[in-house]
Amino acid sequence: SCAVPAAPSILRRSRARRAGKRVRFAQVTVYYFARRQGFTCVPSAGGSSLGMAPRHHRARRYSLSQFAHLRQVSHRQHLRQHLRREKLRARRRELTQNGTVPSAEAAGLTLADVSDDDLDVGQVEVGDYFYLQPLPTKRRRALLRASGVRRIDAEERQELRALRLSREQCGCLCRLTCEPRTCACSQAGIQCQ
């Protein structure tokens, strides 16, 4: 009985082939766009949606390590601003009577009154915190004005409100059984919701 040499494994061959075909990135290109009033997104409340210009005005290239550092610094700055706003709200609440009667002292406080020493930035992990934060209408309007938008379309607020309402009213009004004569779903040619 002579020994037959083992055939090379198909699995090993495919792994060897795949090992040489990896995608590696060396740079990140970041495109910068001017802010515009959105008209394409629907904020959860109010008007003045944020959007961007159709074309970028600047592009920058970074190495992967530069970009990672840049993001970390940016996220830490956003976190500081968020914590500063939270601390300001807390101080204003403390200076009012049970949060119902505002005092002159509370109204006079600004973000400048909250120092970096008052913030517990070290207690919060930046990676755990950072995600897109919803912005109140006032802040969105301020961002648009700071970006050079001179005229903010006030009608957008009503249009966005109508869109939000229409999204809440989904399906038909049928209960237990479908009434095809009055069912909006059935009349639209879809299964009753």
Side-chain angles (χ1 to χ4, degrees), residues 7-177:
S9 169
I10 296 172
L11 295 175
R12 284 191 194 125
R13 198 169 2 149
S14 65
R15 279 188 197 141
R17 257 189 239 144
R18 277 187 277 162
K21 293 186 179 187
R22 290 191 178 143
V23 176
R24 290 188 175 95
F25 296 97
Q27 293 183 351
V28 175
T29 304
V30 179
Y31 295 93
Y32 295 88
F33 293 81
R35 281 194 200 278
R36 297 288 182 257
Q37 193 167 0
F39 303 108
T40 55
C41 63
V42 180
S44 56
S48 305
S49 60
L50 297 176
M52 60 185 182
R55 293 192 172 270
H56 64 277
H57 60 82
R58 190 177 81 182
R60 292 229 18 220
R61 289 183 192 247
Y62 300 97
S63 70
L64 293 178
S65 61
Q66 287 173 326
F67 184 70
H69 177 72
L70 182 73
R71 281 184 56 133
Q72 186 179 30
V73 168
S74 172
H75 288 181
R76 196 162 290 286
Q77 286 173 340
H78 285 295
L79 175 60
R80 250 193 198 91
Q81 282 301 100
H82 174 72
L83 293 174
R84 186 171 272 122
R85 284 190 298 273
E86 291 298 313
K87 186 65 112 173
L88 177 62
R89 279 191 209 112
R91 282 192 184 162
R92 284 181 175 163
R93 270 193 308 267
E94 288 172 7
L95 293 172
T96 60
Q97 295 176 354
N98 298 329
T100 57
V101 181
S103 69
E105 188 179 356
L109 288 176
T110 65
L111 287 174
D113 295 321
V114 181
S115 72
D116 280 346
D117 297 335
D118 297 332
L119 306 177
D120 293 330
V121 179
Q123 301 292 353
V124 181
E125 181 62 38
V126 176
D128 293 341
Y129 159 78
F130 200 81
Y131 56 92
L132 288 177
Q133 302 287 324
L135 298 174
T137 305
K138 272 185 171 181
R139 294 235 3 252
R140 290 195 302 265
R141 292 177 75 86
L143 282 171
L144 287 170
R145 285 197 182 102
S147 298
V149 176
R150 296 188 197 288
R151 186 181 163 274
I152 296 174
D153 186 353
E155 290 179 21
E156 183 196 29
R157 181 179 181 162
Q158 299 306 322
E159 293 169 7
L160 292 173
R161 185 174 182 277
L163 270 171
R164 284 190 293 269
L165 284 173
S166 74
R167 288 179 177 179
E168 286 177 12
Q169 298 168 356
C170 181
C172 60
L173 302 175
C174 294
R175 302 281 181 246
L176 300 176
T177 60

